[in-house]
Amino acid sequence: CRFSQMLHPIFEEASNVIKEEYPDKNQVVFARVDCDQHSDIAQRYRISKYPTLKLFRNGMMMKREYRGQRSVTAIADYIRQQKSNPIREVQDLEEISSVDRSRRNIIGYFEQKDSDNYRTFERVANILHDDCVFLSAFGAISKAERFSGDNVIYKPPGENAPDMVYLGSLTNFDLIYAWTQDKCVPLVREITFENGEELTEEGLPFLILFHMKDDLESLEKFQQEVARQLIGEKGTINFLHADCDKFRHPLLHIQKTPADCPVIAIDSFRHMYVFPDFSDLSVPGKLKQFVLDLHSGKLHREFHHGPDPTDVAPGQPIQDLASSPPESSFQKLAPSEHRYTLLREKDEL
């Protein structure tokens, strides 16, 4: 791979620069994998383009891979940034009242920094700091919030949104990580030109609400119904929303324009399927059945061969559709068994 060969000496020089700054091998490790020789590793981490730079923390692969400039300086700066403390220590509880309520905030109140509770909190923050703002307070400063011991709370976006308290063990990494991830990573995420490739690399099909940027009512309805009907499908499909104006190209694939928004569609990375009518969103089970029909293959089958026999009224012939469903808009970004170099253009997303 010519691009891998070009990056190799840059990557190696960056590792030497960082080694001088962090000589302890427990601090930073640079490693490389020959994916021809170790195809099992490439498959495990869904590596489909080369070269790919992945970051691991505490044995966990971070969902955001390195996409910065391929230079010694840029890579070294990225590592320095990753080594910076993801938690801001507050010196006065008044600082908590002025946190940015447009962000998701996780705040830990601890008796002391040198404790197992804080070390676990620190591990979680290192992994999720891109998704949440992490703050901490210690000793006398935090005492008012530690009426029952060390405490972690979540302040969701919105000035009037109530705080949520973590009730599990503060030394159980798996429990507090799962709780924090649930709070920091929204069930319905926005897809943008910047994160589109990252989302496809999660390997899950998309359920997308296309809406106008200022149409928050439709977004709220979609979020409510996803939470109500599809919480059990989390992990099998990604729930997303997209700006109709910015994503005109995917809309054209399903013969829609911004004037038709809000529109709900599934992109399976092979084809796109349109939810029949946005007004049916609140019909109990309707959205869930749409997703189940994707998993069962029914959406794909009916696009090619018409309604399933069980869905046709007695005596009604099964329609044979000559046309195929619209092609995926995100297929170029989707994981593939083949190696390719991604050339991403906004108009083509």
Side-chain angles (χ1 to χ4, degrees):
C1 170
R2 180 167 64 92
F3 296 102
S4 297
Q5 291 173 352
M6 290 167 59
L7 179 61
H8 177 258
I10 296 171
F11 187 72
E12 190 160 331
E13 187 177 345
S15 75
N16 290 330
V17 170
I18 292 299
K19 185 177 180 181
E20 290 183 7
E21 297 181 29
Y22 302 97
D24 184 349
K25 290 184 178 179
N26 291 323
Q27 291 288 309
V28 182
V29 174
F30 276 68
R32 65 174 182 262
V33 178
D34 182 334
C35 291
D36 281 330
Q37 185 177 354
H38 300 285
S39 58
D40 57 326
I41 295 177
Q43 185 175 4
R44 186 190 316 164
Y45 296 111
R46 296 195 181 110
I47 308 300
S48 58
K49 60 186 187 302
Y50 301 90
T52 292
L53 298 180
K54 294 279 189 182
L55 179 71
F56 288 76
R57 284 185 178 276
N58 300 305
M60 294 180 65
M61 185 183 74
M62 301 296 94
K63 63 183 180 181
R64 289 181 174 88
E65 66 185 52
Y66 176 76
R67 303 181 190 279
Q69 188 179 355
R70 303 291 172 92
S71 70
V72 173
T73 301
I75 293 173
D77 284 345
Y78 173 73
I79 296 299
R80 294 185 191 104
Q81 178 190 359
Q82 292 298 319
K83 287 296 296 175
S84 62
N85 192 342
I87 306 171
R88 177 166 69 88
E89 183 177 343
V90 301
Q91 303 302 324
D92 190 313
L93 289 186
E94 286 297 317
E95 294 180 44
I96 303 298
S97 62
S98 62
V99 297
D100 183 355
R101 293 307 297 263
S102 69
R103 302 286 307 275
R104 290 170 158 74
N105 295 276
I106 301 288
I107 306 167
Y109 300 99
F110 302 94
E111 183 177 359
Q112 55 186 8
K113 185 177 289 189
D114 185 18
S115 65
D116 290 339
N117 286 351
Y118 181 70
R119 279 188 282 271
T120 305
F121 184 73
E122 201 171 27
R123 284 182 64 193
V124 172
N126 271 312
I127 295 170
L128 294 171
H129 69 274
D130 287 336
D131 302 294
C132 264
V133 176
F134 286 84
L135 303 100
S136 63
F138 301 96
I141 296 171
S142 66
K143 188 174 182 180
E145 296 289 341
R146 290 187 291 105
F147 44 86
S148 59
D150 288 354
N151 191 23
V152 172
I153 68 164
Y154 165 61
K155 283 187 176 295
E159 291 297 332
N160 300 317
D163 295 348
M164 301 180 190
V165 181
Y166 172 69
L167 299 175
S169 166
L170 285 170
T171 57
N172 187 318
F173 171 79
D174 291 335
L175 279 180
I176 191 169
Y177 174 75
W179 181 86
T180 308
Q181 184 185 45
D182 181 63
K183 302 297 178 284
C184 292
V185 182
L187 185 60
V188 178
R189 293 177 283 176
E190 182 178 11
I191 184 168
T192 65
F193 292 119
E194 289 71 31
N195 69 1
E197 184 180 355
E198 173 189 311
L199 288 170
T200 61
E201 286 174 351
E202 295 181 12
L204 300 176
F206 295 164
L207 176 68
I208 311 176
L209 167 69
F210 294 96
H211 67 107
M212 302 305 291
K213 186 175 181 179
D214 58 354
D215 180 12
L216 300 181
E217 183 180 349
S218 295
L219 175 58
E220 186 176 353
K221 287 181 180 177
F222 181 68
Q223 290 171 327
Q224 289 174 349
E225 291 307 319
V226 166
R228 183 178 294 122
Q229 300 186 40
L230 294 172
I231 192 68
E233 294 300 316
K234 187 179 180 181
T236 69
I237 190 166
N238 269 330
F239 310 116
L240 307 171
H241 67 99
D243 185 330
C244 282
D245 272 331
K246 291 181 179 178
F247 284 81
R248 290 170 180 263
H249 188 73
L251 284 172
L252 287 175
H253 277 236
I254 53 177
Q255 299 180 336
K256 302 287 185 181
T257 70
D260 298 309
C261 289
V263 172
I264 297 172
I266 285 175
D267 193 321
S268 70
F269 298 151
R270 293 178 64 194
H271 299 297
M272 292 187 73
Y273 308 98
V274 183
F275 186 69
D277 192 333
F278 181 82
S279 62
D280 288 341
L281 180 62
S282 57
V283 176
K286 191 104 175 184
L287 188 64
K288 182 175 183 178
Q289 190 59 53
F290 184 52
V291 172
L292 294 179
D293 287 347
L294 169 75
H295 296 326
S296 69
K298 182 178 179 180
L299 292 181
H300 183 81
R301 188 170 59 249
E302 290 196 334
F303 257 114
H304 286 284
H305 306 295
D308 281 353
T310 54
D311 296 334
V312 178
Q316 181 180 348
I318 299 174
Q319 181 184 7
D320 184 13
L321 298 184
S323 59
S324 296
E327 291 186 356
S328 165
S329 292
F330 300 89
Q331 191 172 26
K332 289 184 179 180
L333 304 183
S336 166
E337 296 177 358
H338 306 290
R339 301 178 178 192
Y340 60 88
T341 302
L342 180 70
L343 300 176
R344 184 178 59 176
E345 298 179 8
K346 288 188 176 181
D347 289 341
E348 288 301 313
L349 186 62

